[in-house]
Amino acid sequence: MKFLRYFYTILILLNFFLLITGCTENEATSTEEYLKIEGYILEVEEGRILVAKEITSEKYEEIKDKTIGEIQELDNERISLIFLSYKDTSSLKIGHKVDVWDDGGINESYPSQAGAKKIEIKN
């Protein structure tokens, strides 16, 4: 009888362990996949850019002439904006489609703010 009790206890603990490890995130997944932002540059300043995230080229054409003062309108249109600080903005131009990898952590203001560790201009 003692044997069955120990057996069931071990079985329950083993199932609990499998349940806990099955619910954790897989660390082997590339972290770059989660930190990548794609969008169009709306504004370039010394040391930072404003990017409209995940919009089509047609949507970019609609909003490209809006000013920063009209940001509230962009929020109403469900367009996510993010200011990204970056050390060298000299090669970046308004209208470039870019992939951006942030350096971890995004401030949840509107527009959001983050640092960029890598910016790649797409064709």
Side-chain angles (χ1 to χ4, degrees):
M1 194 67 173
K2 272 189 167 180
F3 172 76
L4 283 177
R5 192 159 151 198
Y6 287 124
F7 177 75
Y8 288 130
T9 303
I10 290 172
L11 188 61
I12 290 171
L13 289 174
L14 181 62
N15 283 332
F16 180 74
F17 176 75
L18 291 174
L19 177 69
I20 295 299
T21 57
C23 292
T24 60
E25 289 187 33
N26 184 359
E27 295 296 324
T29 305
S30 170
T31 57
E32 285 190 5
E33 177 180 316
Y34 298 108
L35 302 174
K36 183 178 170 186
I37 299 166
E38 182 179 297
Y40 284 88
I41 297 176
L42 296 179
E43 183 176 293
V44 178
E45 298 175 358
E46 179 82 25
R48 76 178 189 166
I49 60 173
L50 178 65
V51 175
K53 300 186 324 186
E54 300 172 1
I55 62 171
T56 63
S57 59
E58 291 82 16
K59 192 65 175 175
Y60 170 74
E61 290 299 322
E62 288 178 28
I63 67 169
K64 70 179 181 180
D65 296 325
K66 293 195 179 200
T67 65
I68 299 303
E70 297 172 313
I71 285 177
Q72 188 63 37
E73 286 182 34
L74 295 178
D75 187 32
N76 292 338
E77 294 178 32
R78 303 265 192 249
I79 296 173
S80 296
L81 300 176
I82 185 167
F83 273 114
L84 295 157
S85 57
Y86 192 63
K87 59 186 177 258
D88 182 21
T89 58
S90 62
S91 63
L92 302 173
K93 305 280 186 256
I94 293 173
H96 278 164
K97 186 172 184 180
V98 292
D99 284 335
V100 179
W101 288 264
D102 73 22
D103 62 3
I106 296 176
N107 295 335
E108 295 297 326
S109 57
Y110 191 79
S112 302
Q113 299 177 25
K117 77 176 169 185
K118 178 181 172 186
I119 298 178
E120 186 177 285
I121 300 169
K122 297 177 82 172
N123 290 338

